[in-house]
Coordinates of all heavy atoms in Angstrom, one line a residue:
A32 N 3.4 4.9 -11.5 CA 3.9 3.5 -11.8 C 4.0 2.7 -10.5 O 4.0 1.5 -10.6 CB 5.2 3.6 -12.5
A33 N 4.2 3.3 -9.3 CA 4.6 2.7 -8.1 C 3.3 2.2 -7.3 O 3.2 1.6 -6.3 CB 5.4 3.5 -7.2
L34 N 2.1 2.8 -7.9 CA 0.9 2.6 -7.1 C 0.3 1.1 -7.3 O 0.5 0.5 -8.4 CB -0.2 3.5 -7.7 CG 0.0 5.0 -7.4 CD1 -1.0 5.9 -8.1 CD2 0.0 5.3 -5.9
E35 N -0.5 0.6 -6.4 CA -1.3 -0.5 -6.4 C -2.5 -0.2 -7.5 O -2.9 0.9 -7.6 CB -1.9 -0.9 -5.2 CG -0.8 -1.5 -4.1 CD -0.1 -2.6 -4.6 OE1 -0.6 -3.4 -5.3 OE2 1.2 -2.7 -4.3
P36 N -3.0 -1.1 -8.2 CA -4.1 -0.9 -9.2 C -5.2 -0.1 -8.5 O -5.8 0.8 -9.2 CB -4.6 -2.3 -9.6 CG -3.3 -3.1 -9.4 CD -2.7 -2.6 -8.2
D37 N -5.7 -0.5 -7.3 CA -6.9 0.2 -6.7 C -6.5 1.6 -6.2 O -7.5 2.4 -5.8 CB -7.6 -0.6 -5.6 CG -6.6 -0.9 -4.5 OD1 -5.4 -0.6 -4.6 OD2 -7.0 -1.4 -3.3
E38 N -5.2 2.1 -6.2 CA -4.9 3.3 -5.7 C -4.7 4.2 -7.0 O -4.7 5.5 -6.7 CB -3.6 3.2 -5.0 CG -3.6 2.4 -3.7 CD -2.1 2.3 -3.3 OE1 -1.2 2.2 -4.0 OE2 -2.0 2.0 -2.0
V39 N -4.8 3.8 -8.2 CA -4.5 4.6 -9.4 C -5.6 5.7 -9.5 O -5.3 6.9 -9.7 CB -4.4 3.8 -10.6 CG1 -4.4 4.7 -11.7 CG2 -3.2 3.0 -10.6
A40 N -7.0 5.2 -9.6 CA -7.9 6.2 -9.8 C -8.0 7.4 -8.8 O -8.2 8.5 -9.2 CB -9.3 5.5 -9.8
P41 N -8.1 7.0 -7.5 CA -8.1 8.3 -6.5 C -7.0 9.2 -6.7 O -7.0 10.4 -6.5 CB -8.2 7.7 -5.2 CG -7.8 6.2 -5.3 CD -8.0 5.8 -6.6
T42 N -5.7 8.6 -6.8 CA -4.5 9.5 -7.0 C -4.5 10.3 -8.2 O -4.2 11.4 -8.2 CB -3.1 8.5 -6.9 OG1 -3.2 7.8 -5.7 CG2 -2.0 9.4 -6.9
V43 N -5.0 9.8 -9.3 CA -5.0 10.5 -10.5 C -6.0 11.7 -10.4 O -5.9 12.8 -10.8 CB -5.4 9.7 -11.7 CG1 -5.9 10.5 -12.9 CG2 -4.3 8.8 -12.1
A44 N -7.1 11.5 -9.6 CA -8.2 12.5 -9.4 C -7.4 13.7 -8.5 O -7.7 14.9 -8.8 CB -9.3 11.9 -8.7
W45 N -6.7 13.2 -7.4 CA -6.2 14.2 -6.5 C -5.1 15.0 -7.5 O -5.1 16.2 -7.3 CB -5.5 13.6 -5.4 CG -6.5 12.9 -4.6 CD1 -7.7 13.1 -4.3 CD2 -6.2 11.7 -3.7 NE1 -8.3 12.3 -3.4 CE2 -7.4 11.3 -3.0 CE3 -5.1 10.9 -3.5 CZ2 -7.4 10.2 -2.2 CZ3 -5.1 9.8 -2.7 CH2 -6.4 9.5 -1.9
L46 N -4.3 14.4 -8.2 CA -3.2 15.1 -8.9 C -3.9 16.1 -10.0 O -3.3 17.0 -10.4 CB -2.3 14.1 -9.5 CG -1.4 13.2 -8.5 CD1 -0.6 12.3 -9.2 CD2 -0.4 14.2 -7.7
S47 N -5.1 15.7 -10.4 CA -5.8 16.5 -11.3 C -6.5 17.7 -10.7 O -7.0 18.5 -11.4 CB -6.7 15.6 -12.2 OG -6.1 14.8 -12.8
G48 N -6.5 17.7 -9.4 CA -7.1 18.9 -8.6 C -8.5 18.6 -8.1 O -9.1 19.5 -7.7
G49 N -8.9 17.3 -8.1 CA -10.3 17.1 -7.7 C -10.4 15.7 -6.7 O -9.3 15.3 -6.3
A50 N -11.5 15.3 -6.7 CA -11.7 14.0 -6.1 C -12.5 13.0 -6.8 O -13.3 13.4 -7.7 CB -12.5 14.2 -4.7
R51 N -12.1 11.8 -6.7 CA -12.8 10.6 -7.5 C -14.5 10.7 -7.3 O -15.2 10.4 -8.3 CB -12.3 9.4 -7.2 CG -12.8 8.2 -7.8 CD -12.2 6.9 -7.3 NE -12.4 6.6 -5.8 CZ -13.6 6.2 -5.3 NH1 -14.6 5.9 -6.1 NH2 -13.6 6.1 -4.0
Q52 N -14.7 11.1 -6.1 CA -16.2 11.1 -5.8 C -16.9 12.4 -6.2 O -18.2 12.3 -6.0 CB -16.2 11.1 -4.2 CG -15.7 9.9 -3.6 CD -14.2 9.8 -3.4 OE1 -13.5 10.7 -3.7 NE2 -13.6 8.7 -2.9
G53 N -16.2 13.3 -6.8 CA -16.9 14.5 -7.2 C -17.2 15.5 -6.0 O -16.2 15.7 -5.3
R54 N -18.4 16.0 -5.9 CA -18.7 16.9 -4.6 C -18.7 16.1 -3.5 O -19.4 15.1 -3.2 CB -20.1 17.4 -4.9 CG -20.2 18.5 -6.0 CD -21.4 19.1 -6.0 NE -21.9 20.0 -4.7 CZ -22.9 19.5 -4.0 NH1 -23.6 18.5 -4.1 NH2 -23.0 20.2 -2.8
I55 N -17.8 16.7 -2.4 CA -17.8 16.1 -1.0 C -18.3 17.0 0.0 O -18.2 16.7 1.2 CB -16.5 15.5 -0.8 CG1 -15.4 16.6 -1.0 CG2 -16.0 14.3 -1.7 CD1 -14.0 16.1 -0.5
G56 N -18.8 18.1 -0.5 CA -19.4 19.1 0.5 C -18.4 19.7 1.6 O -18.9 20.1 2.7
V57 N -17.2 20.0 1.2 CA -16.2 20.5 2.1 C -15.7 21.8 1.5 O -15.3 21.7 0.2 CB -15.0 19.5 2.3 CG1 -14.0 20.2 3.2 CG2 -15.5 18.3 3.1
G58 N -15.7 22.8 2.2 CA -15.2 24.0 1.6 C -14.4 24.8 2.7 O -14.1 24.3 3.8
W59 N -14.3 26.1 2.5 CA -13.4 27.0 3.5 C -13.9 26.9 4.8 O -13.2 26.5 5.8 CB -13.5 28.5 3.1 CG -12.6 28.8 2.0 CD1 -12.9 28.7 0.5 CD2 -11.4 29.4 1.9 NE1 -12.0 29.3 -0.2 CE2 -11.0 29.7 0.6 CE3 -10.6 29.9 3.0 CZ2 -9.7 30.2 0.3 CZ3 -9.3 30.5 2.7 CH2 -9.0 30.6 1.4
A60 N -15.2 27.0 5.1 CA -15.7 27.1 6.5 C -15.8 25.8 7.0 O -15.2 25.8 8.3 CB -17.3 27.5 6.5
T61 N -15.9 24.6 6.4 CA -15.8 23.4 7.1 C -14.4 23.0 7.5 O -14.0 22.5 8.5 CB -16.3 22.3 6.0 OG1 -17.6 22.6 5.7 CG2 -16.5 21.0 6.8
V62 N -13.4 23.3 6.5 CA -12.0 23.1 6.8 C -11.6 24.0 8.1 O -10.9 23.5 9.0 CB -11.1 23.6 5.7 CG1 -9.6 23.3 6.0 CG2 -11.5 22.5 4.5
A63 N -12.0 25.3 8.1 CA -11.7 26.1 9.2 C -12.3 25.6 10.6 O -11.6 25.6 11.6 CB -12.1 27.5 9.0
D64 N -13.5 25.1 10.5 CA -14.1 24.4 11.8 C -13.2 23.3 12.2 O -13.0 23.2 13.4 CB -15.6 24.2 11.5 CG -16.4 25.4 11.3 OD1 -16.0 26.5 11.8 OD2 -17.6 25.2 10.8
A65 N -13.0 22.4 11.3 CA -12.1 21.3 11.5 C -10.8 21.6 12.2 O -10.3 20.9 13.1 CB -12.0 20.3 10.3
E66 N -10.2 22.5 11.6 CA -8.8 23.0 12.1 C -9.0 23.5 13.6 O -8.1 23.2 14.3 CB -8.2 24.1 11.2 CG -7.7 23.6 9.9 CD -7.3 24.5 9.0 OE1 -7.6 25.8 9.1 OE2 -6.4 24.3 7.9
R67 N -10.1 24.1 13.9 CA -10.3 24.6 15.2 C -10.6 23.5 16.2 O -10.2 23.5 17.4 CB -11.4 25.7 15.3 CG -11.0 27.0 14.8 CD -12.1 28.0 15.0 NE -13.3 27.9 14.3 CZ -13.4 28.5 13.1 NH1 -12.5 29.2 12.7 NH2 -14.7 28.2 12.5
D68 N -11.1 22.4 15.6 CA -11.4 21.2 16.4 C -10.2 20.4 16.7 O -10.3 19.4 17.6 CB -12.4 20.4 15.8 CG -13.9 21.1 15.7 OD1 -14.0 22.0 16.5 OD2 -14.7 20.6 15.0
L69 N -9.1 20.5 16.0 CA -8.1 19.6 16.2 C -7.5 19.5 17.6 O -7.3 18.4 18.2 CB -6.9 20.0 15.2 CG -7.1 19.7 13.7 CD1 -6.0 20.1 12.9 CD2 -7.3 18.2 13.5
G70 N -7.2 20.6 18.2 CA -6.9 20.6 19.6 C -5.6 20.0 19.8 O -5.2 19.6 20.9
A71 N -4.7 19.7 18.9 CA -3.4 19.0 19.0 C -2.5 19.4 17.8 O -2.9 19.8 16.8 CB -3.6 17.5 19.1
E72 N -1.3 19.1 18.0 CA -0.3 19.3 16.9 C -0.5 18.3 15.9 O -1.1 17.1 16.1 CB 1.1 19.1 17.4 CG 1.5 20.1 18.4 CD 1.6 21.7 17.8 OE1 2.0 21.7 16.5 OE2 1.1 22.6 18.3
P73 N -0.3 18.6 14.5 CA -0.5 17.7 13.5 C 0.4 16.4 13.6 O 1.3 16.4 14.5 CB 0.1 18.4 12.3 CG 0.0 19.9 12.7 CD 0.3 19.9 14.1
A74 N 0.1 15.4 13.0 CA 0.9 14.0 13.2 C 2.3 14.3 12.8 O 2.7 15.1 11.9 CB 0.3 13.1 12.2
G75 N 3.1 13.6 13.5 CA 4.5 13.7 13.3 C 5.1 12.9 12.2 O 6.2 13.2 11.7
A76 N 4.6 11.8 12.1 CA 5.0 10.8 11.0 C 3.7 10.3 10.2 O 2.6 10.3 10.7 CB 5.7 9.5 11.8
P77 N 4.2 10.2 8.9 CA 2.9 9.8 8.0 C 2.4 8.4 8.2 O 3.2 7.4 8.4 CB 3.6 9.9 6.6 CG 5.1 9.7 6.8 CD 5.4 10.4 8.1
T78 N 1.1 8.2 8.5 CA 0.5 6.8 8.6 C -0.6 6.7 7.7 O -1.0 5.6 7.3 CB 0.0 6.8 10.1 OG1 -1.1 7.7 10.3 CG2 1.1 6.9 11.1
L79 N -1.2 7.7 7.1 CA -2.3 7.7 6.2 C -1.9 7.0 5.0 O -0.7 7.2 4.4 CB -2.9 9.0 5.8 CG -3.6 9.7 6.9 CD1 -3.9 11.2 6.5 CD2 -5.0 9.1 7.2
T80 N -2.7 6.1 4.4 CA -2.6 5.4 3.2 C -3.4 6.0 2.1 O -4.5 6.8 2.4 CB -2.7 3.9 3.1 OG1 -4.2 3.7 3.4 CG2 -1.9 3.3 4.3
V81 N -3.1 5.9 0.8 CA -4.0 6.3 -0.2 C -5.4 5.7 -0.1 O -6.4 6.4 -0.2 CB -3.5 5.9 -1.7 CG1 -4.5 6.1 -2.7 CG2 -2.2 6.8 -1.9
G82 N -5.6 4.5 0.3 CA -6.9 3.9 0.3 C -7.6 4.4 1.6 O -8.8 4.6 1.5
E83 N -7.0 4.7 2.7 CA -7.6 5.4 3.8 C -8.2 6.8 3.5 O -9.3 7.1 3.9 CB -6.7 5.3 5.1 CG -6.5 4.0 5.6 CD -5.5 4.1 6.7 OE1 -4.4 5.0 6.6 OE2 -5.3 3.2 7.7
V84 N -7.4 7.5 2.9 CA -7.9 9.0 2.5 C -9.0 8.8 1.4 O -10.1 9.6 1.5 CB -6.6 9.7 1.8 CG1 -7.2 11.1 1.4 CG2 -5.6 10.0 2.9
D85 N -8.9 7.9 0.5 CA -10.0 7.7 -0.4 C -11.3 7.2 0.2 O -12.3 7.7 -0.1 CB -9.6 6.7 -1.5 CG -10.7 6.7 -2.7 OD1 -11.0 7.6 -3.2 OD2 -11.0 5.4 -3.0
A86 N -11.2 6.4 1.3 CA -12.3 6.0 2.0 C -12.9 7.1 2.7 O -14.1 7.2 2.9 CB -11.9 4.8 3.0
A87 N -12.0 8.0 3.2 CA -12.6 9.2 4.1 C -13.4 10.1 3.1 O -14.5 10.6 3.4 CB -11.5 9.8 4.7
F88 N -12.8 10.3 1.9 CA -13.7 11.0 0.9 C -14.9 10.3 0.5 O -15.9 11.1 0.3 CB -12.7 11.1 -0.4 CG -11.8 12.3 -0.4 CD1 -10.7 12.4 0.7 CD2 -11.7 13.3 -1.4 CE1 -9.9 13.4 0.7 CE2 -10.8 14.4 -1.4 CZ -9.9 14.3 -0.3
D89 N -14.9 9.0 0.5 CA -16.2 8.3 0.2 C -17.2 8.7 1.4 O -18.4 8.9 1.0 CB -16.0 6.8 0.3 CG -15.5 6.2 -1.1 OD1 -15.8 6.9 -2.1 OD2 -14.8 5.2 -1.2
R90 N -16.8 8.6 2.6 CA -17.6 8.9 3.7 C -18.2 10.4 3.6 O -19.4 10.7 4.0 CB -17.0 8.6 5.0 CG -16.7 7.1 5.3 CD -16.2 6.8 6.7 NE -14.9 7.3 6.9 CZ -13.8 6.7 6.7 NH1 -13.9 5.5 6.2 NH2 -12.7 7.2 7.0
L91 N -17.2 11.3 3.3 CA -17.6 12.8 3.2 C -18.6 12.9 2.0 O -19.6 13.6 2.2 CB -16.4 13.6 2.9 CG -15.5 13.7 4.1 CD1 -14.2 14.3 3.7 CD2 -16.1 14.7 5.2
A92 N -18.4 12.2 1.0 CA -19.4 12.4 -0.1 C -20.7 11.8 0.2 O -21.7 12.3 -0.3 CB -18.8 11.7 -1.4
A93 N -20.7 10.7 1.0 CA -22.1 10.2 1.4 C -22.8 11.2 2.3 O -24.0 10.9 2.3 CB -21.8 8.9 2.1
L94 N -22.2 12.2 2.8 CA -22.9 13.0 3.8 C -23.5 14.2 3.0 O -24.3 15.1 3.6 CB -22.0 13.6 4.8 CG -21.5 12.6 5.8 CD1 -20.4 13.0 6.7 CD2 -22.7 12.1 6.7
V95 N -23.2 14.5 1.7 CA -23.7 15.5 1.0 C -25.2 15.3 0.9 O -25.8 14.4 0.3 CB -23.2 15.6 -0.5 CG1 -23.8 16.6 -1.3 CG2 -21.6 15.9 -0.3
G96 N -26.0 16.4 1.3 CA -27.5 16.2 1.1 C -28.1 15.3 2.2 O -29.2 14.8 2.0
A97 N -27.3 14.8 3.2 CA -27.8 13.8 4.2 C -28.8 14.3 5.1 O -29.3 13.6 6.0 CB -26.6 13.1 4.8
G98 N -28.9 15.6 5.2 CA -30.0 16.2 6.1 C -29.4 16.5 7.4 O -28.3 16.8 7.7
T99 N -30.3 16.6 8.5 CA -30.1 16.9 9.9 C -28.8 16.2 10.3 O -28.8 15.0 10.3 CB -31.2 16.8 10.7 OG1 -32.3 17.4 10.2 CG2 -31.0 17.2 12.2
G100 N -27.8 16.9 10.9 CA -26.7 16.4 11.5 C -25.4 16.1 10.5 O -24.5 15.8 10.9
S101 N -25.7 16.3 9.2 CA -24.7 16.0 8.3 C -23.6 17.0 8.5 O -22.3 16.5 8.2 CB -25.2 16.0 7.0 OG -25.7 17.3 6.6
N102 N -23.8 18.2 8.9 CA -22.7 19.1 9.0 C -21.8 18.7 10.2 O -20.5 18.7 9.9 CB -23.2 20.6 9.1 CG -23.7 21.2 7.9 OD1 -23.5 20.8 6.7 ND2 -24.6 22.2 8.1
A103 N -22.4 18.3 11.3 CA -21.5 17.9 12.3 C -20.8 16.6 12.0 O -19.7 16.5 12.3 CB -22.5 17.7 13.5
A104 N -21.6 15.7 11.4 CA -20.8 14.5 10.9 C -19.6 14.8 10.1 O -18.6 14.2 10.0 CB -21.8 13.6 10.3
R105 N -19.9 15.7 9.0 CA -18.7 16.0 8.1 C -17.7 16.7 8.8 O -16.4 16.3 8.6 CB -19.3 17.0 7.0 CG -18.4 17.3 5.8 CD -19.1 18.2 5.0 NE -20.2 17.7 4.2 CZ -21.5 18.0 4.5 NH1 -21.7 19.0 5.3 NH2 -22.6 17.4 3.9
R106 N -17.9 17.5 9.7 CA -16.8 18.2 10.5 C -16.0 17.2 11.3 O -14.8 17.2 11.3 CB -17.5 19.2 11.4 CG -16.6 20.0 12.3 CD -17.4 21.2 12.8 NE -16.6 21.9 13.9 CZ -16.9 23.0 14.5 NH1 -18.1 23.5 14.2 NH2 -16.3 23.6 15.4
A107 N -16.7 16.1 11.9 CA -16.0 15.2 12.7 C -15.2 14.3 11.8 O -14.0 13.9 12.2 CB -17.2 14.4 13.5
E108 N -15.7 14.0 10.7 CA -15.0 13.2 9.8 C -13.7 13.8 9.2 O -12.6 13.3 9.3 CB -15.8 12.7 8.6 CG -15.1 11.9 7.5 CD -14.9 10.5 8.0 OE1 -15.9 9.8 8.6 OE2 -13.7 9.9 7.9
L109 N -13.9 15.1 8.9 CA -12.7 16.0 8.4 C -11.7 16.1 9.5 O -10.5 16.0 9.3 CB -13.2 17.2 7.9 CG -12.2 18.1 7.3 CD1 -11.6 17.5 6.1 CD2 -12.8 19.4 6.7
T110 N -12.2 16.4 10.7 CA -11.2 16.5 11.9 C -10.5 15.3 12.1 O -9.2 15.3 12.3 CB -12.0 16.8 13.1 OG1 -12.7 18.1 12.9 CG2 -11.0 17.1 14.4
A111 N -11.1 14.1 12.0 CA -10.4 12.8 12.2 C -9.3 12.6 11.3 O -8.2 12.2 11.5 CB -11.3 11.8 12.3
L112 N -9.6 13.0 9.9 CA -8.8 12.9 8.9 C -7.5 13.8 9.1 O -6.2 13.4 9.0 CB -9.3 13.0 7.7 CG -8.5 13.0 6.3 CD1 -7.9 11.6 6.0 CD2 -9.4 13.5 5.1
L113 N -7.7 15.0 9.4 CA -6.7 16.0 9.5 C -5.8 15.7 10.7 O -4.6 16.0 10.7 CB -7.2 17.5 9.7 CG -7.8 17.8 8.3 CD1 -8.5 19.2 8.6 CD2 -6.8 18.0 7.3
R114 N -6.3 15.1 11.8 CA -5.6 14.7 13.0 C -4.5 13.7 12.6 O -3.4 13.7 13.4 CB -6.6 14.3 14.0 CG -5.8 14.0 15.3 CD -6.8 13.8 16.5 NE -7.5 15.0 16.9 CZ -8.7 15.3 17.0 NH1 -9.6 14.4 16.7 NH2 -9.1 16.5 17.5
R115 N -4.8 12.9 11.7 CA -3.7 11.9 11.3 C -2.7 12.4 10.1 O -1.8 11.7 9.9 CB -4.4 10.7 10.8 CG -5.2 9.9 11.8 CD -5.6 8.6 11.3 NE -4.6 7.8 10.7 CZ -4.7 6.7 9.9 NH1 -6.0 6.3 9.5 NH2 -3.6 6.0 9.5
A116 N -3.0 13.6 9.8 CA -2.2 14.1 8.6 C -0.9 14.8 9.1 O -1.1 15.7 10.1 CB -3.0 14.9 7.7
T117 N 0.2 14.6 8.5 CA 1.3 15.6 8.7 C 1.2 16.9 7.9 O 0.2 17.0 7.2 CB 2.7 14.9 8.2 OG1 2.3 14.7 6.6 CG2 2.9 13.4 8.7
P118 N 2.0 17.9 8.3 CA 1.7 19.2 7.7 C 1.6 19.1 6.2 O 0.8 19.7 5.6 CB 2.7 20.0 8.2 CG 3.1 19.4 9.6 CD 2.8 18.0 9.5
P119 N 2.6 18.4 5.6 CA 2.5 18.3 4.0 C 1.3 17.7 3.6 O 0.6 18.0 2.6 CB 3.6 17.6 3.6 CG 4.6 17.7 4.8 CD 3.8 17.8 6.0
E120 N 0.9 16.7 4.3 CA -0.4 15.9 3.9 C -1.7 16.8 4.1 O -2.5 17.0 3.2 CB -0.6 14.6 4.7 CG 0.4 13.6 4.3 CD 0.3 12.5 5.4 OE1 0.2 12.6 6.6 OE2 0.5 11.3 4.8
A121 N -1.7 17.5 5.3 CA -2.8 18.5 5.5 C -2.8 19.6 4.5 O -4.0 20.0 4.1 CB -2.6 19.0 6.9
D122 N -1.7 20.0 4.2 CA -1.7 21.1 3.1 C -2.3 20.6 1.8 O -3.1 21.4 1.2 CB -0.3 21.6 2.8 CG -0.2 22.5 1.8 OD1 -0.6 23.7 2.0 OD2 0.5 22.3 0.8
L123 N -1.9 19.4 1.2 CA -2.5 18.9 0.1 C -4.0 18.6 0.3 O -4.9 19.0 -0.6 CB -1.9 17.7 -0.3 CG -2.5 16.9 -1.6 CD1 -2.5 17.9 -2.7 CD2 -1.7 15.7 -1.8
L124 N -4.5 18.2 1.4 CA -5.9 18.0 1.6 C -6.6 19.3 1.6 O -7.8 19.4 0.9 CB -6.1 17.3 3.0 CG -5.7 15.7 3.1 CD1 -5.7 15.2 4.5 CD2 -6.6 15.0 2.2
W125 N -6.2 20.3 2.3 CA -6.8 21.7 2.3 C -7.1 22.2 0.8 O -8.0 22.6 0.6 CB -5.9 22.6 3.2 CG -6.5 24.0 3.2 CD1 -7.5 24.5 4.1 CD2 -6.2 25.0 2.3 NE1 -7.8 25.8 3.7 CE2 -7.0 26.2 2.7 CE3 -5.3 25.2 1.2 CZ2 -7.0 27.3 1.9 CZ3 -5.3 26.4 0.6 CH2 -6.1 27.5 1.0
R126 N -6.0 22.0 0.1 CA -6.0 22.5 -1.3 C -6.9 21.8 -2.2 O -7.7 22.4 -3.0 CB -4.6 22.7 -1.8 CG -3.8 23.8 -1.3 CD -2.5 23.8 -2.0 NE -1.5 22.8 -1.6 CZ -0.8 22.1 -2.5 NH1 -1.0 22.3 -3.8 NH2 0.0 21.2 -2.1
L127 N -7.1 20.5 -1.8 CA -8.1 19.8 -2.7 C -9.5 20.1 -2.2 O -10.4 20.3 -3.0 CB -7.8 18.2 -2.3 CG -6.7 17.6 -3.0 CD1 -6.4 16.3 -2.6 CD2 -6.8 17.6 -4.5
F128 N -9.7 20.4 -0.9 CA -11.2 20.7 -0.4 C -11.5 22.0 -0.9 O -12.6 22.3 -1.3 CB -11.0 20.6 1.1 CG -10.9 19.3 1.7 CD1 -10.1 19.1 2.8 CD2 -11.5 18.2 1.2 CE1 -10.0 18.0 3.5 CE2 -11.3 16.9 1.7 CZ -10.6 16.8 2.9
V129 N -10.7 23.0 -1.0 CA -11.1 24.4 -1.4 C -10.8 24.8 -2.7 O -11.0 25.8 -3.3 CB -10.4 25.4 -0.4 CG1 -10.9 25.2 1.0 CG2 -9.1 25.5 -0.6
G130 N -10.3 23.8 -3.5 CA -10.1 24.0 -5.0 C -8.9 24.8 -5.3 O -9.0 25.7 -6.2
E131 N -7.9 24.7 -4.6 CA -6.8 25.7 -4.6 C -5.4 24.8 -5.0 O -4.4 25.2 -4.6 CB -6.4 26.5 -3.4 CG -7.2 27.8 -3.5 CD -6.2 28.9 -3.2 OE1 -5.3 28.7 -2.3 OE2 -6.3 30.1 -3.4

Side-chain angles (χ1 to χ4, degrees):
L34 296 172
E35 298 294 329
D37 61 352
E38 297 172 336
V39 171
T42 302
V43 166
W45 297 330
L46 293 172
S47 300
R51 177 183 61 80
Q52 295 81 358
R54 288 183 63 247
I55 57 174
V57 174
W59 280 84
T61 311
V62 175
D64 287 342
E66 287 177 338
R67 284 192 288 270
D68 290 344
L69 286 176
E72 292 297 319
T78 61
L79 286 169
T80 67
V81 167
E83 288 171 333
V84 175
D85 188 45
F88 276 55
D89 276 335
R90 293 190 292 272
L91 287 165
L94 292 170
V95 175
T99 305
S101 63
N102 287 339
R105 186 179 298 111
R106 181 170 171 173
E108 182 69 49
L109 186 57
T110 301
L112 178 62
L113 291 174
R114 183 167 285 127
R115 292 188 58 196
T117 63
E120 292 172 321
D122 177 63
L123 175 58
L124 289 169
W125 177 87
R126 287 184 285 128
L127 288 170
F128 290 140
V129 302
E131 266 224 335

